[in-house]
Amino acid sequence: MDFDAYRLNPAIYDEMFFDDGSPRRHSSLLHQELLGISLEELSTIQERVTRSFSNEGITFTVYGDEEAEERIIPVDCVPRVLSASEWLHIESGLTQRITALNLFLQDVYGNASPVGADDESGGNGTTPRIIADGVIPSDMVESCPQYRTEMRGFSAPHGAWVSICGTDIVRTNDGFMVLEDNLRVPSGVSYMIANRKAVKTSFRLLYRQSRVREVEHYGSVLHETLSELAPEGRTDPTIALLTPGIYNSAFYEHMFLAQEIGAELVEGRDLQVDNGVVYMRTTKGLRRVDIIYRRVDDDFIDPLVFREDSLLGVPGLIDAYKRGNVTMVNAPGTGVADDKSVYAFVPDMIRYYLGEEPILASVETYLCRRPQDLEYTLDNLDKLVVKRVGESGGYGMLIGAHATQAERDEYAEQILADPADFISQPTLDLSQAPCFIEGGFEPRHVDLRPFVLHGRQTRIVPGAFCRVALKRGSLVVNSSQGGGGKDMWV
């Protein structure tokens, strides 16, 4: 096949080609392979990759206005290639970033007085250092819906508030930058591994020639990270993955990961807490649980502490965690660090806690809670991307350049009704990569979500869930909004 109809745009970084149409060095083997494949062969490969996802039941759920719909995630068979030096840059930046984020969480919780304690003498201090030193406004933290006052005065084991992070990274002509951190219950790692298995099978010789670094050992790396966070004295820890159940949009991934790490897949009703210790009900009686990899949101994990009407959680779980009898990953309250307003301060966190300049840039962000930023956002809605601070998955977002005037006007009313609930960012020219679309190669915008594991040390498997905006001209890569995935080779 050829790339004669493939359109390059000097304003947009292309992952395979230079502006003159010649392939980048690290993509040259892939480019040569694709030139030697017939349309029929590539169509067969694409069909095989798609069928592998269908056969394994790899699905996600799209939530509409009236009902939820389960879909097979679309997958493109053409891998995206990163050079070893590019990956090293990303890896270094992510290690720096998760270190600073964990220090921030320890500061805003561990250095704050517990709820009900005397402000002058309670807890491990009264005011987080980063707030006391004026780096981040106190109301930015305290007004965040994900800031859990119930966790104040607590210190996570080994300082690992966040042990599993999925960071979304984009590339423009200015280089790589972080779009957002996913610190609560990040998903998508099963797609990274499934993409690799499906595409690797179809390009075996090319895969070996390209000396691609493996990602299939993610499960063993995750198991190692979780195990080293076990409570004191628990040398052969029992790990449980806590799922909301079969109707959750990511339930396939919960099953996949439980199998990968040798964990018990449990729902809240399978666990109980006695005298501050967590046990799992089994056919042979109660079995102690040492580590809980939870895929249940904060609000629902313990009805004695958070939502009392929750049927998904475990009464007494937070007490057991605070006593040090069980480790929870990720810790409750981590969402304050991936709030879209707090995101704007992560470069300052890196400078404050580490004394370093950020390795990975952040996207310029306007906080609509600030009068001048609100005015700028409303005056430039046609040029900006506007997001609700607590939303994810591409929901609640306006891409001004692709919206009608009526849609922008309606969104402006929502912003004015609650400015603190919105941030805005420039519309980025996301990099593009070749995709096999309707019998030919077409450019589509891409990002990548590597998964960072942090226990007593930081580990990052050399790969990512590469997301693709499959609709022509779209910048939205979320699968819930019409996006898909592809394999990424390092």
Side-chain angles (χ1 to χ4, degrees):
M1 288 190 62
D2 59 52
F3 286 83
D4 292 347
Y6 190 83
R7 295 289 172 258
L8 294 169
N9 182 343
I12 298 174
Y13 186 96
D14 191 277
E15 297 289 336
M16 180 174 284
F17 297 106
F18 290 107
D19 290 346
D20 64 1
S22 60
R24 300 183 187 276
R25 182 179 177 185
H26 57 270
S27 293
S28 58
L29 283 177
L30 174 61
H31 177 250
Q32 184 177 354
E33 175 81 6
L34 294 175
L35 287 177
I37 292 179
S38 68
L39 172 61
E40 291 73 19
E41 288 176 300
L42 196 56
S43 297
T44 299
I45 290 173
Q46 179 62 59
E47 182 182 350
R48 185 186 306 137
V49 169
T50 301
R51 191 168 58 245
S52 71
F53 270 59
S54 179
N55 290 344
E56 293 192 31
I58 304 175
T59 63
F60 67 99
T61 302
V62 177
Y63 295 99
D65 293 335
E66 298 181 358
E67 59 182 17
E69 179 184 354
E70 192 170 359
R71 298 180 186 173
I72 301 294
I73 187 169
V75 185
D76 178 62
C77 68
V78 182
R80 173 184 177 182
V81 183
L82 261 63
S83 68
S85 60
E86 288 173 332
W87 177 254
L88 180 61
H89 175 71
I90 290 173
E91 189 177 52
S92 301
L94 291 176
T95 300
Q96 179 193 59
R97 197 170 179 96
I98 199 169
T99 301
L101 287 167
N102 271 302
L103 289 170
F104 168 72
L105 287 162
Q106 176 58 29
D107 193 2
V108 299
Y109 288 117
N111 290 336
S113 299
V115 175
D118 184 275
D119 284 344
E120 294 299 320
S121 59
N124 302 319
T126 57
T127 304
R129 291 188 298 122
I130 198 167
I131 292 175
D133 289 341
V135 178
I136 185 170
S138 60
D139 70 311
M140 189 72 66
V141 173
E142 293 166 2
S143 67
C144 174
Q146 303 303 326
Y147 180 60
R148 306 297 181 179
T149 56
E150 298 86 353
M151 302 306 297
R152 290 169 62 179
F154 175 74
S155 293
H158 306 288
W161 288 83
V162 179
S163 293
I164 303 168
C165 173
T167 299
D168 293 337
I169 297 176
V170 298
R171 171 152 50 186
T172 68
N173 276 326
D174 295 325
F176 291 108
M177 61 182 66
V178 173
L179 189 63
E180 66 181 25
D181 305 287
N182 298 282
L183 306 177
R184 285 170 263 178
V185 283
S187 64
V189 70
S190 60
Y191 300 143
M192 173 184 79
I193 297 171
N195 281 338
R196 173 58 53 84
K197 288 180 178 178
V199 174
K200 179 180 178 180
T201 301
S202 298
F203 292 103
R204 289 192 182 279
L205 180 59
L206 174 66
Y207 186 86
R208 290 197 297 271
Q209 291 175 332
S210 301
R211 294 182 294 175
V212 181
R213 296 174 65 181
E214 301 290 350
V215 298
E216 289 95 332
H217 63 298
Y218 174 86
S220 62
V221 178
L222 175 57
H223 184 273
E224 183 180 5
T225 299
L226 295 175
S227 296
E228 67 187 22
L229 295 174
E232 194 70 30
R234 304 297 293 177
T235 55
D236 186 21
T238 296
I239 303 173
L241 192 152
L242 179 61
T243 175
I246 61 173
Y247 297 109
N248 184 264
S249 62
F251 184 69
Y252 162 80
E253 180 160 289
H254 302 169
M255 292 191 299
F256 174 86
L257 287 172
Q259 183 175 13
E260 285 285 301
I261 63 178
E264 300 292 339
L265 184 64
V266 299
E267 296 181 33
R269 61 189 176 185
D270 300 319
L271 303 177
Q272 69 179 58
V273 178
D274 290 330
N275 296 318
V277 177
V278 182
Y279 296 93
M280 173 177 56
R281 298 182 179 91
T282 73
T283 55
K284 298 180 180 179
L286 296 179
R287 178 183 175 187
R288 180 170 174 175
V289 174
D290 304 298
I291 301 159
I292 295 177
Y293 175 12
R294 56 120 179 171
R295 298 297 293 259
V296 176
D297 291 339
D298 285 3
D299 284 336
F300 303 99
I301 56 177
D302 186 341
L304 299 183
V305 177
F306 300 116
R307 282 187 54 162
E308 61 183 25
D309 62 341
S310 171
L311 300 177
L312 302 176
V314 186
L317 183 55
I318 294 296
D319 177 60
Y321 181 43
K322 288 185 174 181
R323 290 193 195 190
N325 293 331
V326 70
T327 299
M328 244 193 304
V329 174
N330 287 329
T334 55
V336 68
D338 72 4
D339 177 270
K340 289 179 173 60
S341 292
V342 174
Y343 160 90
F345 292 87
V346 175
D348 295 323
M349 293 179 199
I350 293 171
R351 298 182 186 101
Y352 180 75
Y353 293 116
L354 305 180
E356 302 169 357
E357 283 300 308
I359 295 170
L360 290 171
S362 294
V363 181
E364 186 177 12
T365 302
Y366 302 95
L367 309 180
C368 293
R369 63 173 61 230
R370 297 170 176 165
Q372 66 273 26
D373 287 6
L374 173 62
E375 182 179 1
Y376 177 83
T377 298
L378 294 174
D379 287 346
N380 294 275
L381 273 182
D382 59 329
K383 305 180 187 69
L384 299 171
V385 176
V386 190
K387 305 173 183 178
R388 289 186 179 273
V389 298
E391 288 282 8
S392 60
Y395 294 100
M397 181 171 68
L398 176 82
I399 301 179
H402 295 172
T404 65
Q405 185 60 51
E407 290 170 334
R408 290 194 291 267
D409 290 343
E410 181 182 349
Y411 208 86
E413 292 180 7
Q414 297 178 38
I415 297 172
L416 285 168
D418 187 8
D421 193 37
F422 294 87
I423 60 97
S424 66
Q425 297 170 327
T427 302
L428 301 176
D429 289 321
L430 305 188
S431 67
Q432 64 183 29
C435 294
F436 183 58
I437 307 287
E438 296 178 355
F441 295 118
E442 295 187 17
R444 291 292 187 269
H445 294 293
V446 293
D447 79 351
L448 61 147
R449 178 180 289 182
F451 293 89
V452 188
L453 301 177
H454 182 81
R456 299 192 186 194
Q457 66 182 81
T458 301
R459 304 173 177 91
I460 308 174
V461 170
F465 174 33
C466 178
R467 302 186 300 175
V468 188
L470 289 173
K471 295 178 181 177
R472 183 181 284 117
S474 174
L475 294 170
V476 183
V477 298
N478 306 80
S479 53
S480 57
Q481 309 297 314
K486 63 162 63 208
D487 193 13
M488 194 194 81
W489 292 4
V490 176

